[in-house]
Each structure stands twice: as C-alpha cells, then as structure tokens.
Amino acid sequence: MPMVIDRQEQKLTSVPSLPDMTRKALELLSKSAGDDGFFLMVEGSQIDLAGHNNDAAAQVRETTEYDMAMQAVLEFAKSDGHTTVLSTSDHETGGLTLGIQLDPLVYDDAYKYLPDRLSEVTASASYMAELIIAGSDINDTVIRYAAVHDLTAEEEATIAYCKSNVVSSLVSAIGRVVSRRAYIGFTTGGHTGVDVNLYGYNAADIGGNIDNTEVSLFIQRLLGLDVEEITEKLKTFNPKPPSNRSVPLRSDPYHGL
C-alpha cells in the first residue's frame, strides 16, 4: 500500500483507506459470524515504516488515519454493545522527539517546534527517494514535494552519497531533512524501548503500567482460549504458499523480508 500522504497528494484513489477497509471488514465479519462473534486485528503498519524512515510528515498522516480507523471500530463497538476494543503497539520506532536542537551551540533552537511545517509536505520520503533514484534532481525534488528551499550542501551531499552507495539509507536521509525543518528529531532508524500506550473500550480488567504479555493473557481470558491446545494443533500445521501467486512479496529492509 502507498503511504497515506502519497495516496492523498498523488491522487492514488484506487487504493482504499485504512478506515474504509476497517468498516468493510466489520460489516462482512459481523454478518458472517452471527452470534459467535469474531476477532479482527487492524494494523497501522506504516506508522512504523515512517518511523524507520525518520519521516515525520508521513508518520503524522499515518497516525491520523489509524485514529480514524479506530473511530470506526469504536462506533461499531458502541452500537454493538458486546465488543471489546484494544489499541496498542508492540514498540515505538525512531525515537521521535517534538523539538530538536539543531546546533548545540545555539540554545534558542532548543525550544523551537514548527509542526505546521509538515502540512507543506506533499510526498513521503520513500516517494521522493524513488524519484531521485530514477534520475530526478535532488534539490528540485525536495523543493517540489517538501517545500525545502534551503537544502544545505551537506544534506545534498548525504542524499547523493546514499543514492550512489547506500540506497537503504536514502529514504531516512530525506526523511530527516524534512523532519528537521519542523524541529522534529529522531534518535534512531530502528525500534526503541520506550513505553507504548494501551487504550481500551469495554476492557476494564486491563490497564496501568503492565508487561506486554498481559495483553495476550487478557485476550485469552476474554475469549476463553485454551492456548496449550491451540499450540499443539499448530505444531502439525504446515501451510504452503499458493503456486499461482501473481504479486511478489515486497522487500522490507527493516524486518528481514
């Protein structure tokens, strides 16, 4: 799936949004499951990818779209009256900070934060990277899609070097250029160990500062699952991919795919 910012700004209207897919899944599952109920997982996976890319402009739009999907879930749950909703993450990505001191010798920078700057960005860092790899001029690309008119020689040299030598780092190099204009920082291109939030609806039995394994135990109790029995069945489960797969799996440098 394209990122939200690219689907919206580049008019990729044939791709449904996460809220649209969520509503459709709820509609189909509620009809087919009947009184047996159902389990649905909705993932805003590209929040993580934008974090890996240090791309704040893409990340905020992905997060907003996930929030809209959760609103659809909550509307269903409130109407249904018997549905439990949990929303959490398995980790934080990128070490995002709202505020960054660009120059350690200039203290005034330490309190700058310009989030409105992100609204001027019309493409993800990955979209811009694809254009640059295809031959687009670096300066022209960041001016057109990120409104960056003050690209430094060092930033341009870093992007050019990544294009020629370390393509896997090209996207995050562009992402940091965009994020820094909003005074948003990232500490890493990987996952971090900071606590993540857990939100619940009709889930009074779980909350507080807990270990992530408690979420699994809560779901087991809620659904009356016998995990040991299921585990034994899975030991003999050996699915094979379809031989007529027409769409190749996309590579993912961040998760070993």
Side-chain angles (χ1 to χ4, degrees), residues 69-256:
M70 287 301 97
Q71 289 301 317
V73 172
L74 288 173
E75 290 172 7
F76 174 87
K78 292 175 182 178
S79 175
D80 172 71
H82 303 287
T83 298
T84 292
V85 180
L86 295 177
S87 177
T88 190
S89 173
D90 53 342
H91 55 74
E92 192 275 341
T93 303
L96 181 146
T97 59
L98 304 182
I100 180 174
Q101 188 172 354
L102 299 177
D103 186 341
L105 301 179
V106 181
Y107 185 67
D108 289 346
D109 276 359
Y111 292 97
K112 283 187 177 180
Y113 175 50
L114 306 175
D116 289 348
R117 183 67 180 72
L118 300 179
S119 65
E120 301 174 22
V121 183
T122 59
S124 68
S126 56
Y127 186 90
M128 286 185 271
E130 290 178 2
L131 294 176
I132 290 170
I133 290 172
S136 294
D137 180 78
I138 294 173
N139 258 295
D140 290 347
T141 301
V142 298
I143 289 173
R144 177 177 179 182
Y145 294 100
V148 173
H149 296 270
D150 58 349
L151 191 70
T152 67
E154 181 181 2
E155 289 172 328
E156 184 175 4
T158 298
I159 292 172
Y161 178 82
C162 290
K163 174 187 175 182
S164 301
N165 300 281
V166 195
V167 175
S168 60
S169 298
L170 176 59
V171 178
S172 56
I174 298 170
R176 284 190 294 274
V177 165
V178 174
S179 299
R180 285 164 69 90
R181 268 58 186 183
Y183 285 83
I184 293 175
F186 290 87
T187 63
T188 179
H191 301 161
T192 68
V194 302
D195 287 347
V196 296
N197 292 349
L198 170 65
Y199 304 96
Y201 176 80
N202 195 19
D205 295 338
I206 188 169
N209 194 331
I210 61 173
D211 188 82
N212 60 353
T213 57
E214 289 296 322
V215 177
S216 171
L217 295 174
F218 171 78
I219 294 173
Q220 290 176 44
R221 293 192 300 269
L222 183 69
L223 300 182
L225 300 177
D226 184 340
V227 176
E228 291 185 4
E229 178 184 352
I230 295 172
T231 300
E232 290 302 314
K233 290 182 179 179
L234 288 175
K235 287 180 180 179
T236 60
F237 182 60
N238 186 26
K240 295 181 179 180
S243 58
N244 62 342
R245 180 188 295 275
S246 58
V247 179
L249 291 173
R250 293 186 63 185
S251 62
D252 182 348
Y254 301 119
H255 303 97

Side-chain angles (χ1 to χ4, degrees), residues 23-40:
R23 293 188 189 93
K24 191 62 178 180
L26 290 169
E27 175 191 337
L28 295 175
L29 286 170
S30 59
K31 287 180 179 178
S32 63
D35 294 336
D36 292 333
F38 60 87
F39 182 95
L40 171 65

